Amino acid sequence: MASSSDSGAINPEVLLEALSHTYNPNKETRQAAEAYIVNARQKPGYLVSLLQLVVKPGVALEVQQASAIQLKNGISRNWKIPESLKNSKRRISGNIDSASVFEINDNDRVVVRNNLLQAMSLANERRVRKLLAECVMHICREDYPDKWPNLLDQILAGLKSGEVNSMYAALLALHKVVYLYMSKPRNERDHLEVIVSNTFPILRELFQNVLSSHNSIEAGEMVNLAGKIYFRAIQYHLPEFVKKPEETNGWIPLFVELLRKPLPEAHTGLEPKGQPTDIQEREKWPWWKAKKQAARILERLFQRYGMVPYVVDADIEFANAFSKGQDCIAVKVLPTILHTLEAEKRGEFCTNVVTRLCTLWVLSATELSVTFKVLKPNLSFLIQDVILPKLCWSKHELQIWDEDPVQLVRDRFSFGFLMNIGNDPQSGAARLLDQLCTYRTRYSLDLALTEINKRFEAYEQHKGNLEFALAKTGGLRAIEELSKILKHHPVLSGQLEPLLCSKVIPELQSPLPALRLSACRCISRFFKIQWKNPENERVVAQGLLQLLGDPDLPVRVQAGCSLAGLFRNGTNRMLEVVGQVLRKVVEGYLTLMKEIAVDDVFEALQVLIARFSNRMGPMAVELLQNLTLAFLRYYKEEADEEDEYAETSMAAADCIAAINQLLMSFSEGEHPEEMIKKVTPSVLPMIAAVFTGGEGGSSIDTMDYIQYALETMRIITYNGKCVPLQFWNYVPLMYSIYLDWAQDYVVEFSGTLENLIQYDPNSLLTYSSSENEKIGKSNLEMILHMSELALENDELEESEKTFTAVMLHILVQSCIGKIDNLIPSLVTLALKHLQKAEKDHYRVNLVALVESCIYYDPILAIRAIGENSLKPFFEVWFETLDYHYALAEQKVAFCALCRFLRFSPSELPPFLNEIRPQILSKIVVLLKSIDEIKKAVENLRKEKKERNEKARMKEFGNINEYDDSDSDDDDLYGRNLPKDVPEERDVVTQQEGSNEASTGYTSALTAITNDGEVKPYGGLNEFSFDGSDAENSDGSEMDDDVDTPLDFIDEFAFLYKNVSEAKPEAQQAFQEAATPLPAETRQALEFAFNQGQARAKNLA
């Protein structure tokens, strides 16, 4: 292998010795080796030396792996260094495992690019090859094709070499390159088109030769890898080259041949030899993985590109060839799909993932007349021998249940399982049953119900027999999947209660745990039916609640998940049962939380809290303590967890969400401030752990939880109207986190800090901790620095910066008379950003910052604005008054304008004396608008209070209406398609579908945001304050949940005091400025002044 020209830069032999000592048990030796490697990173030739060591003969395997890991990390982090990291403190990290930053010189880059594929072919160990392939991907992302123009030639040379290791290395590299481009939009796939058109003919030839002539493990790996490359290329868009008829007709038969390839049991001695006997090991066997690729490709080609109503215009020709006419591709492939699904019936093995993919292929076939006609004679087989057996619990699953129920729960209920259910044939079978009985009802529903009934009757005749009990679990799952159809069926809907009472509810007490679990799942789909016998409603609720204490963990977890539906949609009688044992239900959930982390269980607890919010008070402290302990436990487990789909991270976040749900529920109860203060100590350990990372951790370890913890602080401070002293200890930690990685959370940080400032301004200015001393800044200085960074950050939206501006004007309003030295800099900051602000709401809040400074001290603020800049500023100010929609915005503007009335003409610049009449007019307009909004807000508060009173009169707590956004009429893809379609018709015709991009199966929800443009409140020019009605006001900004330091100011009294307490010269100026105003404005001003005088006396 070639070496760097700067051969003296680093000694590969010394590096080899250092890498070998990183495993040395002697701490001093190991640390010295790690220190050498950290230092070596900064030297030329470091990556080249690592690449040489990876393939050097005689190097120990663990050292080769260590070299490959360091090489991959160095390339992935430093081939292109983000600007934000170039001056980062990570550059000086002394940890060998850290994300330290170092420069890679051009010569080393050339050497690595020219030798990387050769190194992959020389590497003998699988993990090393994969790490080198990752290097190819990271370099390709930055350098291909401009700086790595010969990459494609290198790959082609490897594919054509005929040498196994070189071909495999080329396949690995090609897979990573294709992977980079797979999710690119159509207009950014030119490079992929070149790669595909050059490599796929050779790839197909290699695939065909290996499949037809070789049966070794290595051959299976090659076929599998070639299939992965093809799938990645077509995953999101169909390359033009792949659409060519000769390519399609060349590849499809190969995938069919692979699916039909016999894989005999190991004991037969037939080729390919060595099939494992363990089911999980079979899934990993290269030939089964290769079959998975074939099934996945065929399913994707059909489902995404093969049905005309769902494809974009560019793919219509391919879709027509795939599924139009009796001789189409889909009709030719279907027998192979059915043959694969018949494997179990023939006594042959088939992996779960292949079975599921074939089931999904049939799912698409049900929609088209041409393929459904072929399926129709096989419906009995599909329902009886494929769907219902796959819906059953298997003996293998029961074995896992007995040996490791915790693992079974993790496999069945984890978020990872829900997001990656490719190995679960139940989900495919369930979807196929639902679609057959929904869209081909006349041909399928009776067949399905007949087969289900057979299993129910057989179980009744053979109770105690495991085979028949397992068959019934499949029947219960089938009833569950058919729930939408049955609930809307004109005849069957009236028979549901007897069915549930005779076949489902009794199994809640079955001696077989799998039957109890299946019945629990099934009944949760039928809470909304029209119950005729009230006792049955109570029996359902009691049965599910009893299962929350079931002796079997999987049953308890399923009960915990299923009860969420009852809490949302249960009848009043069902909820009565829950209310009678509410404490036991809560304790059941807390116990379950201690046993295992399951996201849906925490969701159910949140629904329970919301449903019975007004009855949680007596349990509040205990519940919050348990949720906090659960968070700390899950966080510690998550930090140690290596499983890609660990549920603990989500469970930890759900703990905080449940805490926040409970804290919010207190805000609508009696004495919310007292209640919040009582329970706050219970959640402080959680907040501390988030900001510190817990014992031995760091704040970045809790990145997933920061927004939840900030929300907790906001809820506590807003509803408690106070700030626990511990919160001020977190400000330096918040500052460090914000600077390090959390600037995207500016909205959350600003809102939280705003509450701390408003409800405890004294501590803001006086409190200091050891963390402040370490950083060398006060809390106020840190907040101001964060604010400056936020307003200067061009990557933030103005809507996000608005929250920072709001926080700053709340800061000024909260610290009257205490921050004189800051007023000039805050005015300057606001004016600087006002010049380039575009969105009205952002402009309004920057102006509000200046208004707050004027309210704080008009003279200081005017000096900061500058006499020459007063006129342009006031023009902008008066213009933005039309967009001061919120009560807080209008009030600070009003108070700022009123503050000018206290000063005599000699104390103000001439320009302000000139516009005194305009100031008075604006004061009157604002006073009228504020008066209207306050009345409207008061009406809203009364309505809210009445709603809460009504809720408290009921036995059960208030809950937001559950919005079931998934219509019973919609299918898996959100489509409301025709029902019970005859066989001679497609379920969806081309006219009913769409050929626009991102529609049909690939539809995406586009969120449309509004810039905050709202119509101003009506009646601003009508200067009357007596009996004005708020009904005609636009309530868009009437948020009665927003507090500001100005809330306790009476506007009329404030106007009166600023005039009456002014010097005689100022009062005279007030009278003179009012003289030229229209009569109605003078009358309104006189009325307001008299009202203010009366109110000021009352307040005194």
Side-chain angles (χ1 to χ4, degrees):
M1 183 184 299
S3 62
S4 172
S5 62
D6 190 1
S7 58
I10 191 168
N11 188 330
E13 295 302 324
V14 178
L15 181 60
L16 170 61
E17 183 179 2
L19 286 165
S20 64
H21 283 312
T22 58
Y23 296 92
N24 196 303
N26 183 282
K27 183 178 180 180
E28 292 182 0
T29 304
R30 187 174 65 254
Q31 288 180 340
E34 292 176 351
Y36 173 82
I37 293 171
V38 170
N39 183 57
R41 290 170 174 168
Q42 310 298 332
K43 296 181 178 180
Y46 171 66
L47 294 182
V48 174
S49 298
L50 289 174
L51 188 59
Q52 291 172 338
L53 294 178
V54 166
V55 295
K56 184 176 181 179
V59 175
L61 176 59
E62 61 267 20
V63 178
Q64 287 184 334
Q65 291 180 344
S67 300
I69 291 170
Q70 292 297 320
L71 179 66
K72 190 269 291 184
N73 289 344
I75 289 174
S76 65
R77 295 165 180 165
N78 300 287
W79 204 265
K80 180 181 180 181
I81 303 174
E83 290 295 327
S84 60
L85 289 182
K86 284 189 175 180
N87 298 313
S88 169
K89 60 185 179 181
R90 293 180 181 176
R91 291 183 64 88
I92 58 174
S93 173
N95 184 351
I96 190 174
D97 296 320
S98 69
S100 60
V101 178
F102 58 87
E103 298 290 342
I104 305 172
N105 66 42
D106 291 341
N107 188 64
D108 285 356
R109 292 173 185 267
V110 172
V111 173
V112 170
R113 285 193 296 257
N114 288 341
N115 291 278
L116 195 50
L117 264 69
Q118 181 188 357
M120 290 171 62
S121 66
L122 294 174
N124 295 319
E125 204 271 328
R126 178 193 298 267
R127 187 183 178 200
V128 171
R129 285 199 301 264
K130 288 188 174 182
L131 288 167
L132 294 179
E134 291 290 320
C135 295
V136 171
M137 183 177 71
H138 290 300
I139 298 174
C140 180
R141 178 182 288 117
E142 306 302 333
D143 290 2
Y144 181 79
D146 296 340
K147 297 179 182 179
W148 201 356
N150 63 336
L151 172 61
L152 183 55
D153 291 336
Q154 292 177 4
I155 291 173
L156 289 171
L159 293 176
K160 296 175 182 178
S161 67
E163 200 277 318
V164 173
N165 287 338
S166 295
M167 289 191 295
Y168 193 76
L171 287 172
L172 277 174
L174 178 58
H175 176 251
K176 290 300 181 182
V177 174
V178 172
Y179 183 86
L180 273 179
Y181 290 98
M182 70 176 185
S183 57
K184 298 276 188 185
R186 290 178 184 272
N187 60 351
E188 296 180 18
R189 290 167 65 92
D190 291 346
H191 295 317
L192 180 62
E193 291 288 348
V194 173
I195 292 167
V196 168
S197 62
N198 280 276
T199 60
F200 270 39
I202 303 169
L203 189 67
R204 175 155 57 93
E205 184 179 351
L206 185 153
F207 191 104
Q208 185 173 10
N209 290 339
V210 173
L211 180 61
S212 61
S213 307
H214 301 276
N215 288 297
S216 65
I217 297 296
E218 292 76 15
E221 289 178 344
M222 277 199 179
V223 172
N224 173 51
L225 191 48
K228 287 175 73 173
I229 293 168
Y230 188 100
F231 179 78
R232 295 301 184 196
I234 69 165
Q235 187 165 1
Y236 297 113
H237 300 286
L238 204 56
E240 293 301 318
F241 186 80
V242 171
K243 297 178 191 178
K244 293 183 177 181
E246 59 271 25
E247 284 299 307
T248 304
N249 295 332
W251 278 103
I252 298 293
L254 293 178
F255 299 136
V256 168
E257 181 183 350
L258 178 55
L259 263 187
R260 283 187 174 268
K261 182 179 177 69
L263 299 180
E265 297 293 334
H267 65 82
T268 65
L270 300 175
E271 296 282 358
K273 297 179 180 180
Q275 178 168 188
T277 55
D278 181 78
I279 291 178
Q280 291 182 337
E281 290 302 315
R282 290 190 192 221
E283 299 275 2
K284 302 174 185 177
W285 197 47
W287 281 108
W288 276 118
K289 289 171 69 176
K291 283 205 173 198
K292 179 186 80 172
Q293 298 303 333
R296 186 161 68 152
I297 290 166
L298 290 172
E299 193 273 335
R300 177 54 59 109
L301 287 174
F302 194 7
Q303 178 259 339
R304 192 178 185 92
Y305 310 110
M307 293 192 281
V308 174
Y310 303 123
V311 300
V312 296
D313 290 339
D315 295 336
I316 287 180
E317 185 177 351
F318 178 86
N320 279 322
F322 202 97
S323 61
K324 288 292 185 181
Q326 299 300 318
D327 198 38
C328 65
I329 295 171
V331 170
K332 294 177 181 178
V333 172
L334 182 51
T336 296
I337 299 296
L338 293 174
H339 176 268
T340 305
L341 291 173
E342 288 174 345
E344 190 171 337
K345 187 177 182 180
R346 295 192 304 268
E348 300 171 3
F349 176 80
C350 185
T351 61
N352 285 335
V353 65
V354 172
T355 298
R356 180 176 182 274
L357 288 165
C358 288
T359 304
L360 294 180
W361 202 97
V362 175
L363 192 75
S364 297
T366 61
E367 291 197 33
L368 302 181
S369 173
V370 67
T371 44
F372 181 71
K373 288 177 180 178
V374 180
L375 278 179
K376 184 182 171 186
N378 296 281
L379 286 179
S380 181
F381 153 73
L382 284 172
I383 293 171
Q384 180 178 338
D385 298 309
V386 177
I387 295 175
L388 289 177
K390 291 302 177 185
L391 294 180
C392 299
W393 280 85
S394 67
K395 291 182 179 179
H396 175 69
E397 289 171 313
L398 294 188
Q399 182 181 352
I400 299 175
W401 189 318
D402 291 336
E403 295 173 354
D404 193 350
V406 173
Q407 186 59 48
L408 181 77
V409 169
R410 286 176 175 167
D411 290 343
R412 280 300 205 177
F413 293 90
S414 71
F415 179 75
F417 172 78
L418 297 175
M419 295 302 293
N420 186 34
I421 54 179
N423 291 335
D424 176 37
Q426 272 199 9
S427 61
R431 286 166 57 184
L432 178 56
L433 178 66
D434 177 59
Q435 186 149 318
L436 274 172
C437 293
T438 300
Y439 302 130
R440 305 292 182 180
T441 313
R442 68 190 70 183
Y443 311 106
S444 307
L445 184 57
D446 286 345
L447 274 175
L449 293 177
T450 300
E451 289 298 328
I452 292 169
N453 190 51
K454 286 180 182 178
R455 282 156 173 74
F456 287 169
E457 290 180 353
Y459 170 74
E460 295 298 328
Q461 296 169 10
H462 301 87
K463 283 191 175 181
N465 185 297
L466 181 61
E467 295 287 347
F468 292 98
L470 293 180
K472 181 164 185 178
T473 65
L476 291 173
R477 178 65 189 272
I479 293 294
E480 173 192 338
E481 292 303 322
L482 296 175
S483 60
K484 291 181 181 179
I485 301 169
L486 297 176
K487 285 188 289 187
H488 291 90
H489 196 281
V491 177
L492 297 177
S493 60
Q495 302 173 13
L496 282 178
E497 187 171 0
L499 170 68
L500 297 174
C501 291
S502 62
K503 305 300 183 185
V504 182
I505 296 174
E507 303 307 336
L508 294 174
Q509 300 179 357
S510 170
L512 182 67
L515 264 177
R516 296 199 298 275
L517 187 150
S518 299
C520 183
R521 275 191 59 140
C522 182
I523 199 66
S524 67
R525 294 290 188 93
F526 295 96
F527 295 133
K528 281 186 173 181
I529 70 168
Q530 294 296 320
W531 297 89
K532 297 179 181 178
N533 186 340
E535 185 60 27
N536 291 334
E537 300 171 60
R538 286 188 279 268
V539 168
V540 168
Q542 290 166 354
L544 289 177
L545 292 174
Q546 287 174 358
L547 293 184
L548 201 56
D550 194 90
D552 282 79
L553 177 63
V555 179
R556 293 197 295 277
V557 171
Q558 183 60 65
C561 298
S562 296
L563 279 166
L566 188 149
F567 301 150
R568 289 188 184 100
N569 304 317
T571 65
N572 287 337
R573 293 186 181 90
M574 293 177 184
L575 294 173
E576 286 174 7
V577 174
V578 177
Q580 290 164 3
V581 290
L582 183 59
R583 175 172 283 277
K584 288 186 177 180
V585 177
V586 172
E587 290 172 352
Y589 274 99
L590 293 176
T591 301
L592 195 54
M593 286 161 42
K594 293 176 182 178
E595 294 181 276
I596 195 165
V598 176
D599 184 55
D600 286 347
V601 169
F602 284 90
E603 181 185 345
L605 178 60
Q606 291 177 55
V607 178
L608 176 67
I609 291 171
R611 183 60 132 171
F612 295 92
S613 59
N614 67 327
R615 300 178 61 180
M616 289 292 171
M619 297 175 275
V621 173
E622 179 185 359
L623 183 52
L624 287 170
Q625 287 174 342
N626 277 280
L627 287 168
T628 298
L629 290 173
F631 167 81
L632 297 174
R633 182 173 66 254
Y634 292 143
Y635 165 62
K636 183 178 185 302
E637 291 177 4
E638 191 266 339
D640 300 332
E641 183 61 71
E642 296 181 357
D643 182 5
E644 181 183 359
Y645 294 116
E647 194 79 356
T648 49
S649 177
M650 292 187 64
D654 285 332
C655 283
I656 311 180
I659 287 171
N660 292 344
Q661 176 74 59
L662 187 57
L663 291 173
M664 282 297 296
S665 70
F666 299 146
S667 67
E668 296 186 358
E670 296 181 357
H671 313 297
E673 295 177 18
E674 294 177 12
M675 193 66 185
I676 290 292
K677 292 174 184 176
K678 175 182 176 182
V679 302
T680 293
S682 302
V683 302
L684 291 177
M686 176 274 291
I687 302 173
V690 171
F691 289 120
T692 63
E695 185 177 352
S698 66
S699 64
I700 201 166
D701 295 328
T702 48
M703 184 182 294
D704 293 339
Y705 318 123
I706 189 71
Q707 58 184 333
Y708 296 101
L710 291 171
E711 182 184 3
T712 307
M713 295 176 70
R714 290 196 299 275
I715 293 171
I716 289 173
T717 51
Y718 176 77
N719 292 298
K721 298 295 184 284
C722 69
V723 179
L725 197 60
Q726 293 92 326
F727 282 13
W728 293 109
N729 290 325
Y730 304 148
V731 173
L733 303 175
M734 294 165 67
Y735 175 71
S736 298
I737 291 171
Y738 186 82
L739 294 187
D740 191 18
W741 54 264
Q743 293 191 31
D744 287 343
Y745 293 92
V746 63
V747 172
E748 291 82 0
F749 275 88
S750 298
T752 303
L753 291 171
E754 177 188 326
N755 280 9
L756 267 62
I757 293 166
Q758 179 172 339
Y759 296 117
D760 191 6
N762 290 331
S763 294
L764 165 70
L765 302 175
T766 60
Y767 187 86
S768 182
S769 67
S770 59
E771 290 295 327
N772 292 101
E773 295 176 6
K774 287 181 185 178
I775 297 174
K777 291 179 182 289
S778 68
N779 286 338
L780 178 59
E781 289 172 328
M782 293 179 192
I783 292 172
L784 291 173
H785 187 208
M786 292 166 66
S787 301
E788 291 171 4
L789 291 175
L791 296 180
E792 293 286 351
N793 191 342
D794 292 335
E795 295 183 2
L796 293 175
E797 299 289 339
E798 289 189 348
S799 59
E800 296 173 301
K801 295 180 182 182
T802 298
F803 286 85
T804 300
V806 170
M807 178 189 71
L808 288 174
H809 60 70
I810 292 296
L811 168 65
V812 174
Q813 295 168 23
S814 301
C815 299
I816 298 296
K818 300 177 182 178
I819 55 170
D820 289 15
N821 60 316
L822 294 181
I823 297 304
S825 60
L826 289 174
V827 171
T828 302
L829 182 69
L831 294 179
K832 173 185 175 181
H833 293 284
L834 185 60
Q835 291 177 355
K836 53 185 179 181
E838 297 178 356
K839 304 295 184 184
D840 288 336
H841 199 218
Y842 183 43
R843 287 167 55 82
V844 164
N845 279 281
L846 288 171
V847 169
L849 176 54
V850 181
E851 292 168 347
S852 298
C853 292
I854 294 172
Y855 166 70
Y856 179 98
D857 188 322
I859 302 301
L860 277 177
I862 289 170
R863 288 174 185 165
I865 296 170
E867 189 166 346
N868 293 334
S869 301
L870 280 176
K871 183 176 181 180
F873 169 72
F874 269 79
E875 288 176 353
V876 173
W877 185 5
F878 287 172
E879 175 190 344
T880 61
L881 284 179
D882 291 338
Y883 301 99
H884 282 51
Y885 299 132
L887 176 61
E889 295 165 358
Q890 295 193 12
K891 197 160 186 176
V892 67
F894 170 84
C895 291
L897 290 171
C898 286
R899 290 281 281 154
F900 288 124
L901 304 182
R902 186 179 286 267
F903 295 91
S904 63
S906 61
E907 296 174 294
L908 296 177
F911 172 74
L912 287 178
N913 291 315
E914 293 174 12
I915 64 168
R916 278 182 184 264
Q918 288 178 263
I919 291 175
L920 292 181
S921 294
K922 297 298 182 183
I923 286 173
V924 173
V925 170
L926 286 168
L927 195 55
K928 164 65 177 177
S929 181
I930 291 170
D931 190 53
E932 287 184 339
I933 297 173
K934 291 180 76 171
K935 289 176 180 177
V937 168
E938 185 58 33
N939 289 336
L940 290 175
R941 283 178 173 158
K942 287 180 180 178
E943 292 174 7
K944 185 176 181 180
K945 185 176 180 180
E946 290 173 1
R947 289 197 304 269
N948 291 341
E949 286 298 324
K950 289 179 180 178
R952 279 192 285 271
M953 293 297 291
K954 296 180 180 179
E955 183 177 358
F956 303 104
N958 192 19
I959 184 174
N960 295 329
E961 287 187 16
Y962 174 59
D963 178 19
D964 187 359
S965 58
D966 295 326
S967 167
D968 279 354
D969 293 327
D970 293 346
D971 73 353
L972 178 74
Y973 305 102
R975 306 168 303 173
N976 187 357
L977 300 182
K979 308 298 188 291
D980 194 14
V981 180
E983 63 178 298
E984 60 271 11
R985 279 189 54 207
D986 293 344
V987 172
V988 178
T989 64
Q990 185 169 351
Q991 288 72 31
E992 291 168 322
S994 171
N995 292 321
E996 295 300 320
S998 299
T999 57
Y1001 289 147
T1002 59
S1003 62
L1005 181 63
T1006 303
I1008 302 174
T1009 58
N1010 187 290
D1011 289 335
E1013 298 289 344
V1014 193
K1015 292 181 178 180
Y1017 294 104
L1020 293 182
N1021 294 319
E1022 299 172 6
F1023 303 130
S1024 61
F1025 300 98
D1026 49 339
S1028 61
D1029 196 353
E1031 288 183 357
N1032 295 324
S1033 297
D1034 181 347
S1036 302
E1037 297 290 346
M1038 295 179 200
D1039 188 351
D1040 64 332
D1041 289 331
V1042 176
D1043 288 347
T1044 75
L1046 305 183
D1047 284 352
F1048 302 102
I1049 291 179
D1050 181 284
E1051 300 79 29
F1052 294 93
F1054 188 78
L1055 171 63
Y1056 170 76
K1057 283 189 173 184
N1058 274 279
V1059 176
S1060 63
E1061 295 176 2
K1063 297 177 181 179
E1065 295 87 347
Q1067 294 184 20
Q1068 179 64 31
F1070 173 78
Q1071 295 293 336
E1072 292 175 357
T1075 301
L1077 296 177
E1080 58 180 354
T1081 305
R1082 291 198 307 273
Q1083 292 170 4
L1085 198 57
E1086 182 180 355
F1087 174 84
F1089 192 82
N1090 293 333
Q1091 279 285 101
Q1093 185 177 20
R1095 294 189 185 190
K1097 289 181 180 179
N1098 292 334
L1099 290 172

